[in-house]
Tab-separated table of all heavy atoms in Angstrom:
chain	number	residue	atom	x	y	z
A	551	SER	N	110.278	105.992	143.561
A	551	SER	CA	110.385	106.309	142.134
A	551	SER	C	111.712	105.837	141.570
A	551	SER	O	111.790	105.403	140.407
A	551	SER	CB	110.222	107.827	141.921
A	551	SER	OG	111.303	108.546	142.495
A	553	ALA	N	113.321	103.161	142.573
A	553	ALA	CA	113.203	101.716	142.399
A	553	ALA	C	112.364	101.378	141.166
A	553	ALA	O	112.685	100.450	140.408
A	553	ALA	CB	112.590	101.095	143.648
A	554	LEU	N	111.280	102.130	140.949
A	554	LEU	CA	110.448	101.891	139.769
A	554	LEU	C	111.219	102.162	138.484
A	554	LEU	O	111.073	101.455	137.489
A	554	LEU	CB	109.205	102.788	139.821
A	554	LEU	CG	108.187	102.513	140.934
A	554	LEU	CD1	107.162	103.637	140.990
A	554	LEU	CD2	107.489	101.172	140.724
A	555	GLU	N	112.065	103.198	138.507
A	555	GLU	CA	112.777	103.607	137.303
A	555	GLU	C	114.044	102.789	137.069
A	555	GLU	O	114.312	102.336	135.956
A	555	GLU	CB	113.132	105.095	137.409
A	555	GLU	CG	113.898	105.651	136.233
A	555	GLU	CD	113.013	106.000	135.046
A	555	GLU	OE1	111.787	105.761	135.125
A	555	GLU	OE2	113.532	106.516	134.044
A	556	LYS	N	114.835	102.617	138.127
A	556	LYS	CA	116.164	102.044	137.958
A	556	LYS	C	116.193	100.530	138.125
A	556	LYS	O	117.014	99.842	137.513
A	556	LYS	CB	117.136	102.680	138.965
A	556	LYS	CG	117.401	104.164	138.711
A	556	LYS	CD	118.321	104.753	139.776
A	556	LYS	CE	118.711	106.183	139.449
A	556	LYS	NZ	119.506	106.294	138.218
A	557	LEU	N	115.286	99.988	138.976
A	557	LEU	CA	115.294	98.554	139.255
A	557	LEU	C	114.138	97.832	138.591
A	557	LEU	O	113.999	96.606	138.740
A	557	LEU	CB	115.238	98.324	140.773
A	557	LEU	CG	116.319	99.022	141.614
A	557	LEU	CD1	116.125	98.704	143.101
A	557	LEU	CD2	117.724	98.591	141.158
A	558	ASP	N	113.303	98.570	137.875
A	558	ASP	CA	112.124	97.995	137.219
A	558	ASP	C	111.187	97.306	138.191
A	558	ASP	O	110.527	96.312	137.851
A	558	ASP	CB	112.538	97.024	136.105
A	558	ASP	CG	113.196	97.739	134.942
A	558	ASP	OD1	112.807	98.888	134.661
A	558	ASP	OD2	114.113	97.164	134.332
A	559	TRP	N	111.156	97.815	139.428
A	559	TRP	CA	110.177	97.294	140.366
A	559	TRP	C	108.784	97.747	139.931
A	559	TRP	O	108.628	98.677	139.133
A	559	TRP	CB	110.456	97.810	141.783
A	559	TRP	CG	111.661	97.137	142.423
A	559	TRP	CD1	112.614	96.379	141.815
A	559	TRP	CD2	112.013	97.202	143.808
A	559	TRP	NE1	113.553	95.952	142.720
A	559	TRP	CE2	113.214	96.439	143.956
A	559	TRP	CE3	111.478	97.800	144.940
A	559	TRP	CZ2	113.847	96.278	145.191
A	559	TRP	CZ3	112.099	97.646	146.171
A	559	TRP	CH2	113.280	96.882	146.295
A	560	THR	N	107.776	97.085	140.483
A	560	THR	CA	106.388	97.407	140.164
A	560	THR	C	105.616	97.654	141.457
A	560	THR	O	106.141	97.466	142.560
A	560	THR	CB	105.721	96.259	139.402
A	560	THR	OG1	105.586	95.128	140.300
A	560	THR	CG2	106.528	95.856	138.177
A	714	ALA	N	110.893	108.204	133.181
A	714	ALA	CA	109.984	107.746	132.138
A	714	ALA	C	108.554	108.139	132.508
A	714	ALA	O	108.161	108.067	133.682
A	714	ALA	CB	110.090	106.246	131.972
A	715	PRO	N	107.757	108.574	131.541
A	715	PRO	CA	106.362	108.928	131.848
A	715	PRO	C	105.601	107.779	132.493
A	715	PRO	O	104.742	108.001	133.344
A	715	PRO	CB	105.779	109.282	130.480
A	715	PRO	CG	106.937	109.555	129.594
A	715	PRO	CD	108.083	108.766	130.119
A	716	GLU	N	105.956	106.537	132.091
A	716	GLU	CA	105.280	105.374	132.676
A	716	GLU	C	105.579	105.274	134.178
A	716	GLU	O	104.687	104.986	134.979
A	716	GLU	CB	105.739	104.094	131.979
A	716	GLU	CG	105.334	103.990	130.504
A	716	GLU	CD	106.277	104.744	129.584
A	716	GLU	OE1	107.288	105.326	130.078
A	716	GLU	OE2	106.029	104.761	128.362
A	717	THR	N	106.838	105.528	134.538
A	717	THR	CA	107.215	105.509	135.952
A	717	THR	C	106.441	106.572	136.719
A	717	THR	O	105.916	106.330	137.806
A	717	THR	CB	108.732	105.764	136.103
A	717	THR	OG1	109.449	104.758	135.409
A	717	THR	CG2	109.129	105.787	137.557
A	718	ALA	N	106.379	107.774	136.143
A	718	ALA	CA	105.694	108.881	136.815
A	718	ALA	C	104.215	108.574	136.999
A	718	ALA	O	103.631	108.860	138.051
A	718	ALA	CB	105.885	110.168	136.021
A	720	ILE	N	102.786	105.627	137.280
A	720	ILE	CA	102.643	104.613	138.331
A	720	ILE	C	102.806	105.251	139.701
A	720	ILE	O	102.087	104.922	140.652
A	720	ILE	CB	103.665	103.478	138.114
A	720	ILE	CG1	103.294	102.688	136.850
A	720	ILE	CG2	103.743	102.561	139.319
A	720	ILE	CD1	104.354	101.713	136.394
A	820	SER	N	101.508	102.073	126.383
A	820	SER	CA	102.704	101.536	127.053
A	820	SER	C	102.429	101.180	128.498
A	820	SER	O	103.358	100.934	129.267
A	820	SER	CB	103.844	102.563	126.982
A	820	SER	OG	103.451	103.795	127.540
A	821	LEU	N	101.145	101.159	128.870
A	821	LEU	CA	100.766	100.797	130.236
A	821	LEU	C	99.709	99.704	130.204
A	821	LEU	O	99.019	99.507	129.208
A	821	LEU	CB	100.190	102.022	130.974
A	821	LEU	CG	101.146	103.156	131.323
A	821	LEU	CD1	100.349	104.381	131.772
A	821	LEU	CD2	102.141	102.737	132.401
A	822	GLU	N	99.600	99.011	131.307
A	822	GLU	CA	98.508	98.054	131.479
A	822	GLU	C	98.143	98.010	132.959
A	822	GLU	O	98.935	98.374	133.820
A	822	GLU	CB	98.927	96.668	131.004
A	822	GLU	CG	100.148	96.107	131.688
A	822	GLU	CD	100.548	94.756	131.120
A	822	GLU	OE1	99.661	94.040	130.619
A	822	GLU	OE2	101.737	94.420	131.206
A	823	ARG	N	96.947	97.578	133.242
A	823	ARG	CA	96.532	97.504	134.634
A	823	ARG	C	95.933	96.140	134.900
A	823	ARG	O	95.278	95.536	134.047
A	823	ARG	CB	95.556	98.603	134.991
A	823	ARG	CG	94.291	98.628	134.165
A	823	ARG	CD	93.419	99.795	134.564
A	823	ARG	NE	92.154	99.775	133.833
A	823	ARG	CZ	91.163	100.613	134.071
A	823	ARG	NH1	91.281	101.513	135.011
A	823	ARG	NH2	90.041	100.538	133.370
A	845	TRP	N	98.823	99.540	138.249
A	845	TRP	CA	99.316	99.872	136.921
A	845	TRP	C	100.733	99.334	136.737
A	845	TRP	O	101.534	99.323	137.661
A	845	TRP	CB	99.311	101.383	136.714
A	845	TRP	CG	97.920	101.942	136.558
A	845	TRP	CD1	97.085	102.369	137.544
A	845	TRP	CD2	97.233	102.138	135.320
A	845	TRP	NE1	95.907	102.814	137.013
A	845	TRP	CE2	95.971	102.694	135.647
A	845	TRP	CE3	97.549	101.901	133.979
A	845	TRP	CZ2	95.027	103.024	134.688
A	845	TRP	CZ3	96.610	102.235	133.012
A	845	TRP	CH2	95.360	102.786	133.361
A	846	PHE	N	100.996	98.905	135.505
A	846	PHE	CA	102.302	98.338	135.186
A	846	PHE	C	102.770	98.873	133.842
A	846	PHE	O	101.968	99.210	132.963
A	846	PHE	CB	102.226	96.806	135.110
A	846	PHE	CG	101.779	96.157	136.388
A	846	PHE	CD1	100.417	95.978	136.651
A	846	PHE	CD2	102.709	95.703	137.318
A	846	PHE	CE1	99.999	95.381	137.824
A	846	PHE	CE2	102.293	95.101	138.487
A	846	PHE	CZ	100.938	94.932	138.746
A	847	LYS	N	104.079	98.940	133.702
A	847	LYS	CA	104.624	99.182	132.374
A	847	LYS	C	104.314	97.958	131.520
A	847	LYS	O	104.286	96.822	132.035
A	847	LYS	CB	106.134	99.392	132.449
A	847	LYS	CG	106.539	100.617	133.255
A	847	LYS	CD	108.062	100.720	133.393
A	847	LYS	CE	108.447	101.870	134.298
A	847	LYS	NZ	109.912	101.958	134.511
A	848	LYS	N	104.071	98.178	130.267
A	848	LYS	CA	103.664	97.093	129.366
A	848	LYS	C	104.654	95.936	129.471
A	848	LYS	O	105.867	96.103	129.329
A	848	LYS	CB	103.642	97.604	127.925
A	848	LYS	CG	102.782	96.789	127.000
A	848	LYS	CD	101.309	97.096	127.218
A	848	LYS	CE	100.475	96.537	126.082
A	848	LYS	NZ	99.051	96.853	126.235
A	849	GLY	N	104.113	94.745	129.795
A	849	GLY	CA	104.940	93.550	129.862
A	849	GLY	C	105.563	93.284	131.209
A	849	GLY	O	106.244	92.265	131.378
A	850	SER	N	105.342	94.157	132.208
A	850	SER	CA	105.976	93.943	133.525
A	850	SER	C	104.999	93.410	134.565
A	850	SER	O	105.397	93.138	135.689
A	850	SER	CB	106.578	95.258	134.033
A	850	SER	OG	105.552	96.211	134.301
A	851	ALA	N	103.732	93.240	134.205
A	851	ALA	CA	102.755	92.749	135.168
A	851	ALA	C	103.001	91.272	135.465
A	851	ALA	O	103.484	90.520	134.610
A	851	ALA	CB	101.349	92.939	134.621
Side-chain angles (χ1 to χ4, degrees):
S551 66
L554 293 170
E555 179 81 358
K556 293 177 174 296
L557 305 180
D558 292 327
W559 286 14
T560 68
E716 294 82 2
T717 300
I720 292 169
S820 56
L821 291 168
E822 58 183 332
R823 58 182 184 174
W845 288 88
F846 300 87
K847 297 175 185 177
K848 202 77 166 182
S850 66

